[in-house]
Amino acid sequence: MQYISTIIFLILLVAGFGLFAKSLQKIYRNIRLGREIDRTDRKGERWGTMARVAMGQSKMVKRPIAGILHLFVYVGFIIINIELIEIIIDGIFGTHRFLFSIFGSGSYSFFTATLEVLALLVIIGVVLFFIRRNFYGVKRLTMKELFGWPKQDANWILIIEFALMMAFFMMNASDSILQMRGAEGFHQAGSFPISQMIFVPFLEIFSFDNGFLIFTERAAWWFHFVGILFFMNYLYYSKHLHIILAFPSTWFANLEKKGKFNNLESVTKEIKLMMDPNADPYAAPAEGEAEAPSKFGAEDVFDLNQVQLLNAYSCTECGRCTAVCPANITGKKLSPRLILMKTRDRLEEVGRNIDKNGKFEDDGKKLLNDYITKEELWACTTCNACTEACPVLLDPLSIIFDMRRFLVMEQSAAPQELNLMMTNVENNAAPWQYNQADRLKWAND
C-alpha cells in the first residue's frame, strides 16, 4: 500500500511541477514578444527597491488595515508552504514529520507552533478580505470592469486559501490526538497551539477511534498537498500571478522620475541632421547608433516593451490606480487598471494564436481600437497618480504614452486641440497662435 501511495504521490508531484513550469515558459515566451529594453542599470538600487516594495510590502501598508491584512495572508501563506518541503520528503519516503529529525524537539515545536499562528492569521485575513470584497462595498472592488471572471477569480483564490488552511489545521489536530494516544507511526513531534485550542476539542467531542483519525489526517494531508499543486497551476489563469511576478516587476521598474518622456534616439538624430548644414542625411548609421524603428509608438502588444508586458501579467487588479485617477473620478472612460487588464487579455489572445498556428498569424485585431480605445488614451492627464499608487510599481501610463505616440506620429490622429498646439509650436515656436515677434510683449508692462 505504501508503494502505491508513493507512486501516486510522485506522479502528482511531477505532473504538478511540470505543468507549472510549462505555464511559466508560456508567460516568458509571451513577454518576449515585446521589444527589448535595457533595465539592468543601477543594480544596487534595483535590489533595494525589490526588497523594500515586493518583499517588505512598503507601499501596501500606506493603507494600514488592508496592508496589514495583506501582510498576514502573503507572509503567512508563503511561510506555511515551506512545509511543502516536509510533505514532499514524507510523501516520497513514507516518513512522519521528517523535519523533526533535523530540527530537534525544541526547534521543531517552535517551527510548527509558528506555522499554526501564521495559518490563523491567514484565515482571519482571507475571511475579512472576502467580506470586504463582497459585502463592504469598496468602490474600486465593485466597478463594472471587475464583473464576471475578475470578481470570481478573486473570490476563488480566497476560498482556496481558506480551504488549504482548514485542511492544515485538521491534519495537525488529528496528528496531535494520534500522537497523544501513542498510535503506531505517529511519534511525538511538534507543538500545535491553535489546533489543540480549537480543532482538537471539536474532534474529541465525537470520540473518534484511531482508524477514523488516521483517515482524517491522511485525507487532510493529501488535500493540502494536492491543493497546493492546484493553486500553483491555477496562478497562470489568475490575477494572483503577482505572487511571483511582483519580484521581477519591481526589479525592472522605471527608476527615472515618474512621467519622464523618453526621447526616441532616431528622431533626435533626424533633428540634429536638420540643424547641421554639413551633415549627410543619407549616410549609414555609425556602429552602435540607433536606427529608425519600423513603427513609432505602440499599436499592438508587439510594439510595447517587455517590461510593459511583464507589468500586464503582474497586475493584481486591486484598483488603487483607478481609485486615484482624476479622469476616472470625473466620469471619463479611462481606468488605468483596465489598461493593464486589456493589455494582458490581448497578449493572451496572441499567445493562443501562436499555440494554435506555431507562429503568430494575423487575426485582424490590434491592441489599439479592438481593446483600448482612443477615448481612453486621450482622457489621461498624465498626472502619474496611477504609477504612484501602484503597490508593485507598475506603469500603465507608459502604455498610454506609447499608444498616444503611435496615434500622433504614425496616424496623425491627435485631437484637434493638440494638432493646433503642435502647428503653433512648429510655426511660432510657442503653443499659442501669435507671431514670434510678439512673444515678449507680455513683459512690456
Side-chain angles (χ1 to χ4, degrees):
M1 184 65 182
Q2 177 60 45
Y3 292 120
I4 295 174
S5 176
T6 301
I7 290 170
I8 294 173
F9 182 88
L10 286 171
I11 290 172
L12 289 173
L13 184 67
V14 172
F17 276 92
L19 289 172
F20 181 60
K22 187 176 180 181
S23 296
L24 290 181
Q25 185 180 31
K26 190 177 292 186
I27 292 168
Y28 178 73
R29 179 206 65 191
N30 290 352
I31 291 172
R32 295 274 295 174
L33 295 174
R35 294 184 293 104
E36 290 187 7
I37 181 173
D38 185 8
R39 287 274 179 87
T40 57
D41 59 329
R42 300 152 70 175
K43 289 184 172 62
E45 189 175 349
R46 293 188 179 282
W47 285 113
T49 300
M50 185 180 76
R52 185 178 68 257
V53 178
M55 296 182 68
Q57 306 281 293
S58 61
K59 298 198 73 175
M60 282 296 301
V61 296
K62 286 186 176 181
R63 298 188 180 188
I65 296 175
I68 291 170
L69 289 175
H70 186 272
L71 202 62
F72 286 169
V73 175
Y74 181 79
V75 175
F77 192 76
I78 296 299
I79 292 178
I80 286 166
N81 284 317
I82 292 175
E83 195 190 22
L84 184 62
I85 298 170
E86 184 175 59
I87 288 177
I88 290 173
I89 295 171
D90 287 348
I92 294 173
F93 298 103
T95 52
H96 173 251
R97 297 195 174 273
F98 172 82
L99 291 180
F100 175 78
S101 62
I102 304 296
F103 289 170
S105 178
S107 297
Y108 188 74
S109 293
F110 177 78
F111 171 69
T112 52
T114 301
L115 292 186
E116 289 236 324
V117 172
L118 289 171
L120 180 62
L121 293 177
V122 171
I123 285 179
I124 292 171
V126 297
V127 168
L128 291 177
F129 274 140
F130 188 87
I131 294 170
R132 180 170 173 266
R133 180 171 286 274
N134 292 281
F135 305 108
Y136 190 65
V138 179
K139 183 180 178 182
R140 63 188 169 89
L141 301 178
T142 56
M143 296 176 71
K144 186 177 179 181
E145 62 203 53
L146 293 184
F147 288 1
W149 173 247
K151 184 182 176 89
Q152 295 170 21
D153 172 43
N155 285 332
W156 274 117
I157 284 289
L158 295 173
I159 292 168
I160 291 169
E161 289 179 345
F162 179 83
L164 288 174
M165 294 304 103
M166 292 299 292
F168 175 75
F169 279 124
M170 290 302 293
M171 177 183 73
N172 284 350
S174 304
D175 196 347
S176 177
I177 296 173
L178 290 166
Q179 288 181 32
M180 288 187 289
R181 292 181 182 179
E184 184 180 353
F186 291 86
H187 57 80
Q188 289 285 337
S191 174
F192 314 105
I194 309 301
S195 294
Q196 289 174 344
M197 186 188 307
I198 301 172
F199 295 91
V200 167
F202 171 77
L203 292 174
E204 287 183 332
I205 288 174
F206 300 97
S207 302
F208 292 126
D209 60 19
N210 285 3
F212 183 82
L213 289 173
I214 290 171
F215 171 80
T216 302
E217 191 274 341
R218 287 291 85 191
W221 185 91
W222 276 101
F223 182 88
H224 192 72
F225 169 66
V226 174
I228 290 172
L229 294 182
F230 174 81
F231 179 86
M232 188 169 65
N233 283 283
Y234 176 73
L235 289 180
Y236 174 77
Y237 306 95
S238 168
K239 71 190 184 77
H240 283 74
L241 264 174
H242 75 280
I243 291 173
I244 301 167
L245 298 184
F247 294 93
S249 284
T250 51
W251 200 91
F252 288 111
N254 186 7
L255 300 180
E256 299 295 334
K257 291 182 179 180
K258 288 183 174 63
K260 180 180 178 181
F261 200 84
N262 62 314
N263 292 322
L264 293 175
E265 291 183 29
S266 55
V267 175
T268 303
K269 178 190 171 187
E270 289 298 318
I271 293 172
K272 287 179 178 179
L273 284 172
M274 291 168 62
M275 297 177 68
D276 183 359
N278 300 316
D280 180 3
Y282 302 104
E287 186 176 350
E289 199 173 55
E291 292 190 33
S294 58
K295 185 186 294 182
F296 293 110
E299 181 185 22
D300 207 350
V301 289
F302 304 101
D303 309 317
L304 296 172
N305 66 54
Q306 293 170 3
V307 173
Q308 290 168 323
L309 300 185
L310 173 63
N311 281 186
Y313 271 124
S314 303
C315 178
T316 188
E317 300 173 13
C318 67
R320 291 191 181 196
C321 54
T322 296
V324 297
C325 175
N328 189 274
I329 291 170
T330 54
K332 305 292 193 302
K333 192 175 180 181
L334 174 66
S335 167
R337 167 174 58 189
L338 201 53
I339 294 291
L340 289 171
M341 290 170 66
K342 288 177 177 179
T343 302
R344 181 177 61 209
D345 289 345
R346 172 57 179 164
L347 186 55
E348 277 293 293
E349 183 179 51
V350 168
R352 290 191 294 271
N353 184 311
I354 295 172
D355 291 336
K356 180 180 178 180
N357 301 306
K359 62 178 182 177
F360 179 72
E361 298 285 350
D362 186 12
D363 57 1
K365 295 182 181 179
K366 303 289 183 183
L367 180 62
L368 179 62
N369 294 326
D370 291 302
Y371 283 83
I372 298 173
T373 65
K374 296 174 185 177
E375 182 183 350
E376 292 171 87
L377 296 175
W378 292 116
C380 177
T381 66
T382 67
C383 69
N384 282 286
C386 56
T387 58
E388 176 61 33
C390 181
V392 288
L393 305 180
L394 306 186
D395 189 5
L397 182 58
S398 69
I399 296 175
I400 295 173
F401 270 174
D402 283 346
M403 296 186 76
R404 279 181 171 184
R405 176 177 269 163
F406 174 82
L407 288 171
V408 173
M409 299 184 72
E410 293 283 346
Q411 295 189 338
S412 299
Q416 183 179 355
E417 296 85 355
L418 282 181
N419 282 329
L420 179 61
M421 181 206 71
M422 288 185 283
T423 301
N424 289 335
V425 168
E426 183 178 357
N427 295 331
N428 308 324
W432 301 279
Q433 196 169 5
Y434 53 68
N435 193 286
Q436 289 193 47
D438 298 331
R439 291 184 63 185
L440 295 178
K441 281 188 175 180
W442 66 273
N444 289 345
D445 297 329

